[in-house]
Amino acid sequence: CRNPDGEPGGAWCYTTDSAERWEYCDVPSCTPSTTTTSTTTTTTGTTVFSTTSSTQLPTCKTPELAYLDELDVRAVLKDAISDCETALSKKKVFMIGVDGLRADVVGMTPLPHIARLKSMGTHSFWADVQSTAGASSGPGWGSMFTGVEPSKHLIDGNGDLKDVAFPTVFKTAKDAFDLKIAASVSWHPLVNEIINHEDETTLDASFLASSDDSMAAKAKEWILSEEYDFVFVDFDGADGSGHSLGFDGYLESYQNRVIEIDAMIGTLLDAVMETSAGEEWLIVLTSDHGGKGTSHGAYDKYNRKIPFIVASNSPRVDVGFMPMEDPGNQMDVLPTIMYFLGGESAIPDGLDGQVFGFKDYKRKTRACIPDANNCGCASVKQADYRGNISVTASGKTCQAWGSQSPHSHSRTAENYPNAGLDANYCRNPDGESGAWCYTEDSSTRWELCEVPTCDTA
């Protein structure tokens, strides 16, 4: 009796009865057992021998990470049984944030340790950042931490981090499961102005590092101590390199910094492998934003697309890649971690993110909440926007759609009668990546505008 094709009733077989093609089998289901200990003492002369027998969770065995690391784990995990539950005391979370990590640099640069993670779970090199604020660190980290849009958590930039109005993943996990949590960060405001400002009792240990190297060294120390249930790290070097020399997947300086970060991630993964026997680990890696040139402010995919990886030795986590039509979002971090720890009932209400990479969770289609006067829907590339923004993302004044100077064009109200081509307001009549306009600068024909993207639900 087996179940090769996902029959809902469990293991089955074809029968030798020509009148009955197939039937289910009466195979017992694995259930977590209660830990019991019995001790038997035997005395022989002056020597006392004590033997202890124990049944331990999980009943359904989880492959060890170190074992998986030696194999093509797709063969081990892809078709593994996913309905076996592991005791909470044996679950560990490792969250890796890499500030300013562009999607393309991960996709095309030799990064052997990030590749290890990719092979042990579900990955996306085209995940989205939040959609209701600029692609900057404050809104990005806020959405990673809270699972909601900036319009809900209220962090709109880097100067209002203390405004966070939704519980972070650290406090949510702490309150629900009383985990021991440690955070080692290179960008200190993550601890000082978000996590500790929210509740200074959330973290059991924190380290404000002067470099990525010292940050990773402290995290390795914590992992090897086996004292903590949830470790968070923040690498800042890719963002620093991008701002100094350029964010570009083809740029050697940026590539080299990401390669250095990958090596540090490797030392942390080795520490996890060394201490993970008998435990079920969830490892999440993503970023707050991408980058282009020496900034990440423009409203384009270089800035708003990021990598996202969920790796695990849990048979509940799928192995492969997310589909292009549903590439994941940085807001998926909190619901994914809470689902791993406690199932669907542990996920707070009101989140905008969803569980990423689990076989036993069905993701829902996100739909835009239209508000044409104030934002544009990403699903139609902001073609529905009818607001009054009339400057480009770089600050250039828009040319009126009815004017042919300084740029002649065919995007007129006569040719595109349903596109809302009024005055000089930003619009998208022709399927560009977002709302745009011709500019009044004779040396710049057109540019995208920084029109907010509408919320989704």
Side-chain angles (χ1 to χ4, degrees), residues 189-217:
L190 295 177
V191 167
N192 291 340
E193 298 183 34
I194 301 181
I195 304 172
N196 281 353
H197 179 73
E198 176 191 34
D199 184 346
E200 62 182 12
T201 68
T202 296
L203 296 178
D204 296 280
S206 62
F207 182 68
L208 307 179
S210 59
S211 67
D212 282 352
D213 299 81
S214 60
M215 181 279 298

Short mmCIF file of all heavy atoms in Angstrom, two decimals, residues 189-217:
data_model
loop_
_atom_site.label_atom_id
_atom_site.label_comp_id
_atom_site.label_asym_id
_atom_site.label_seq_id
_atom_site.Cartn_x
_atom_site.Cartn_y
_atom_site.Cartn_z
N PRO A 189 19.15 50.65 13.90
CA PRO A 189 17.75 51.05 14.12
C PRO A 189 16.76 49.88 14.10
O PRO A 189 15.68 50.00 14.68
CB PRO A 189 17.47 52.03 12.98
CG PRO A 189 18.81 52.63 12.67
CD PRO A 189 19.78 51.49 12.84
N LEU A 190 17.11 48.78 13.46
CA LEU A 190 16.19 47.64 13.46
C LEU A 190 15.89 47.17 14.87
O LEU A 190 14.75 46.81 15.21
CB LEU A 190 16.77 46.48 12.63
CG LEU A 190 16.93 46.73 11.14
CD1 LEU A 190 17.57 45.52 10.47
CD2 LEU A 190 15.59 47.05 10.49
N VAL A 191 16.91 47.18 15.72
CA VAL A 191 16.72 46.80 17.12
C VAL A 191 16.29 48.01 17.95
O VAL A 191 15.29 47.96 18.68
CB VAL A 191 18.01 46.18 17.70
CG1 VAL A 191 17.94 46.08 19.23
CG2 VAL A 191 18.23 44.79 17.11
N ASN A 192 17.03 49.11 17.83
CA ASN A 192 16.79 50.25 18.72
C ASN A 192 15.45 50.94 18.49
O ASN A 192 14.80 51.38 19.44
CB ASN A 192 17.91 51.28 18.56
CG ASN A 192 19.24 50.79 19.09
OD1 ASN A 192 19.28 49.87 19.91
ND2 ASN A 192 20.33 51.39 18.64
N GLU A 193 15.03 51.05 17.22
CA GLU A 193 13.86 51.88 16.91
C GLU A 193 12.63 51.08 16.50
O GLU A 193 11.54 51.67 16.40
CB GLU A 193 14.22 52.89 15.83
CG GLU A 193 15.31 53.85 16.27
CD GLU A 193 15.62 54.91 15.23
OE1 GLU A 193 14.68 55.34 14.52
OE2 GLU A 193 16.80 55.29 15.11
N ILE A 194 12.79 49.79 16.22
CA ILE A 194 11.61 48.99 15.88
C ILE A 194 11.36 47.92 16.95
O ILE A 194 10.38 47.98 17.68
CB ILE A 194 11.72 48.33 14.49
CG1 ILE A 194 11.90 49.40 13.40
CG2 ILE A 194 10.48 47.50 14.19
CD1 ILE A 194 12.00 48.84 11.98
N ILE A 195 12.26 46.95 17.06
CA ILE A 195 12.00 45.79 17.92
C ILE A 195 11.95 46.19 19.39
O ILE A 195 10.98 45.91 20.10
CB ILE A 195 13.06 44.69 17.69
CG1 ILE A 195 13.11 44.28 16.22
CG2 ILE A 195 12.73 43.46 18.55
CD1 ILE A 195 14.25 43.35 15.87
N ASN A 196 12.99 46.88 19.88
CA ASN A 196 13.01 47.26 21.29
C ASN A 196 12.04 48.37 21.60
O ASN A 196 11.50 48.44 22.72
CB ASN A 196 14.42 47.67 21.71
CG ASN A 196 15.33 46.49 21.97
OD1 ASN A 196 14.88 45.34 21.96
ND2 ASN A 196 16.61 46.74 22.17
N HIS A 197 11.80 49.25 20.64
CA HIS A 197 10.83 50.32 20.89
C HIS A 197 9.43 49.75 21.05
O HIS A 197 8.63 50.25 21.86
CB HIS A 197 10.85 51.33 19.74
CG HIS A 197 9.87 52.45 19.91
ND1 HIS A 197 10.04 53.47 20.82
CD2 HIS A 197 8.69 52.71 19.29
CE1 HIS A 197 9.03 54.30 20.76
NE2 HIS A 197 8.18 53.86 19.83
N GLU A 198 9.14 48.71 20.29
CA GLU A 198 7.84 48.05 20.40
C GLU A 198 7.69 47.39 21.77
O GLU A 198 6.67 47.55 22.45
CB GLU A 198 7.70 47.01 19.30
CG GLU A 198 6.43 46.17 19.37
CD GLU A 198 6.47 44.99 18.41
OE1 GLU A 198 7.56 44.42 18.19
OE2 GLU A 198 5.40 44.62 17.90
N ASP A 199 8.70 46.64 22.20
CA ASP A 199 8.67 45.94 23.49
C ASP A 199 10.10 45.51 23.81
O ASP A 199 10.64 44.61 23.17
CB ASP A 199 7.75 44.72 23.43
CG ASP A 199 7.60 44.02 24.77
OD1 ASP A 199 8.39 44.30 25.70
OD2 ASP A 199 6.69 43.18 24.90
N GLU A 200 10.71 46.15 24.78
CA GLU A 200 12.12 45.87 25.08
C GLU A 200 12.34 44.50 25.71
O GLU A 200 13.48 44.08 25.89
CB GLU A 200 12.69 46.96 25.98
CG GLU A 200 12.03 47.06 27.34
CD GLU A 200 12.61 48.19 28.17
OE1 GLU A 200 13.36 49.01 27.63
OE2 GLU A 200 12.30 48.23 29.38
N THR A 201 11.26 43.78 26.02
CA THR A 201 11.40 42.43 26.58
C THR A 201 11.32 41.35 25.51
O THR A 201 11.46 40.16 25.82
CB THR A 201 10.33 42.16 27.64
OG1 THR A 201 9.03 42.08 27.01
CG2 THR A 201 10.32 43.24 28.71
N THR A 202 11.11 41.72 24.24
CA THR A 202 10.96 40.72 23.19
C THR A 202 12.24 39.93 22.97
O THR A 202 12.22 38.70 22.86
CB THR A 202 10.52 41.39 21.88
OG1 THR A 202 9.22 41.97 22.05
CG2 THR A 202 10.45 40.38 20.75
N LEU A 203 13.37 40.62 22.87
CA LEU A 203 14.63 39.96 22.58
C LEU A 203 15.30 39.48 23.86
O LEU A 203 15.42 40.23 24.83
CB LEU A 203 15.57 40.91 21.83
CG LEU A 203 15.11 41.38 20.45
CD1 LEU A 203 16.12 42.36 19.86
CD2 LEU A 203 14.89 40.20 19.51
N ASP A 204 15.76 38.25 23.83
CA ASP A 204 16.54 37.71 24.95
C ASP A 204 18.02 38.06 24.80
O ASP A 204 18.77 38.00 25.78
CB ASP A 204 16.36 36.20 25.02
CG ASP A 204 14.92 35.83 25.32
OD1 ASP A 204 14.52 35.88 26.49
OD2 ASP A 204 14.19 35.52 24.36
N ALA A 205 18.44 38.38 23.59
CA ALA A 205 19.81 38.82 23.34
C ALA A 205 19.82 39.67 22.08
O ALA A 205 19.06 39.41 21.14
CB ALA A 205 20.75 37.64 23.17
N SER A 206 20.68 40.70 22.05
CA SER A 206 20.83 41.52 20.85
C SER A 206 22.27 41.97 20.75
O SER A 206 22.99 42.08 21.76
CB SER A 206 19.89 42.73 20.88
OG SER A 206 20.18 43.58 21.97
N PHE A 207 22.70 42.24 19.52
CA PHE A 207 24.07 42.67 19.28
C PHE A 207 24.05 43.70 18.17
O PHE A 207 23.54 43.45 17.08
CB PHE A 207 24.94 41.48 18.88
CG PHE A 207 26.39 41.84 18.67
CD1 PHE A 207 27.19 42.23 19.74
CD2 PHE A 207 26.95 41.78 17.40
CE1 PHE A 207 28.52 42.56 19.54
CE2 PHE A 207 28.29 42.10 17.20
CZ PHE A 207 29.08 42.50 18.28
N LEU A 208 24.58 44.89 18.46
CA LEU A 208 24.67 45.98 17.49
C LEU A 208 26.09 45.98 16.93
O LEU A 208 27.02 46.47 17.57
CB LEU A 208 24.33 47.31 18.15
CG LEU A 208 22.99 47.35 18.91
CD1 LEU A 208 22.77 48.72 19.54
CD2 LEU A 208 21.83 46.99 17.99
N ALA A 209 26.24 45.44 15.75
CA ALA A 209 27.57 45.17 15.20
C ALA A 209 28.14 46.39 14.48
O ALA A 209 27.40 47.24 13.97
CB ALA A 209 27.50 43.98 14.24
N SER A 210 29.45 46.45 14.43
CA SER A 210 30.14 47.50 13.69
C SER A 210 30.44 47.08 12.26
O SER A 210 30.88 47.89 11.45
CB SER A 210 31.44 47.87 14.40
OG SER A 210 32.29 46.73 14.51
N SER A 211 30.23 45.80 11.95
CA SER A 211 30.47 45.29 10.60
C SER A 211 29.67 44.01 10.41
O SER A 211 29.23 43.38 11.38
CB SER A 211 31.96 44.97 10.40
OG SER A 211 32.35 43.89 11.23
N ASP A 212 29.50 43.61 9.16
CA ASP A 212 28.81 42.35 8.89
C ASP A 212 29.58 41.17 9.47
O ASP A 212 28.99 40.19 9.92
CB ASP A 212 28.63 42.16 7.38
CG ASP A 212 27.50 43.00 6.81
OD1 ASP A 212 26.74 43.60 7.59
OD2 ASP A 212 27.37 43.04 5.56
N ASP A 213 30.91 41.27 9.45
CA ASP A 213 31.72 40.16 9.96
C ASP A 213 31.47 39.92 11.45
O ASP A 213 31.26 38.77 11.88
CB ASP A 213 33.21 40.44 9.74
CG ASP A 213 33.55 40.60 8.27
OD1 ASP A 213 33.33 41.69 7.73
OD2 ASP A 213 34.02 39.62 7.68
N SER A 214 31.49 41.00 12.25
CA SER A 214 31.27 40.83 13.69
C SER A 214 29.82 40.46 13.97
O SER A 214 29.53 39.70 14.90
CB SER A 214 31.64 42.10 14.43
OG SER A 214 30.87 43.21 14.01
N MET A 215 28.90 40.96 13.14
CA MET A 215 27.49 40.58 13.29
C MET A 215 27.32 39.08 13.09
O MET A 215 26.66 38.39 13.89
CB MET A 215 26.66 41.36 12.28
CG MET A 215 25.16 41.10 12.33
SD MET A 215 24.63 39.61 11.47
CE MET A 215 25.13 39.99 9.80
N ALA A 216 27.92 38.54 12.02
CA ALA A 216 27.79 37.11 11.73
C ALA A 216 28.49 36.26 12.78
O ALA A 216 28.02 35.17 13.14
CB ALA A 216 28.35 36.80 10.34
N ALA A 217 29.63 36.74 13.30
CA ALA A 217 30.36 35.99 14.33
C ALA A 217 29.52 35.83 15.59
O ALA A 217 29.49 34.76 16.21
CB ALA A 217 31.68 36.68 14.66
#
